[in-house]
Amino acid sequence: MSVKRRDSKNRVLRNGESQRTDGMRMYTWTEMENKSSFIAGKYR
């Protein structure tokens, strides 16, 4: 059985999603030519 990653409020984090130490979530992905991009925002 796989273990689901969770944030500080016990919500399941999806692939590419992580929580920063300041409580904001961050989603990262890789575009063509191995360029890495990210979006950060607060949980509602």
Side-chain angles (χ1 to χ4, degrees):
M1 183 180 260
S2 65
V3 176
K4 295 182 180 180
R5 296 180 307 120
R6 296 186 178 265
D7 67 358
S8 62
K9 293 187 177 181
N10 208 24
R11 291 180 285 222
V12 176
L13 296 173
R14 298 182 180 179
N15 288 342
E17 194 174 19
S18 60
Q19 185 176 25
R20 302 189 330 188
T21 56
D22 61 0
M24 293 180 72
R25 65 179 173 177
M26 185 169 64
Y27 184 79
T28 60
W29 69 94
T30 303
E31 295 181 7
M32 293 172 42
E33 301 174 5
N34 294 329
K35 181 182 175 189
S36 182
S37 300
F38 73 94
I39 296 176
K42 290 185 178 181
Y43 280 112
R44 293 182 183 207

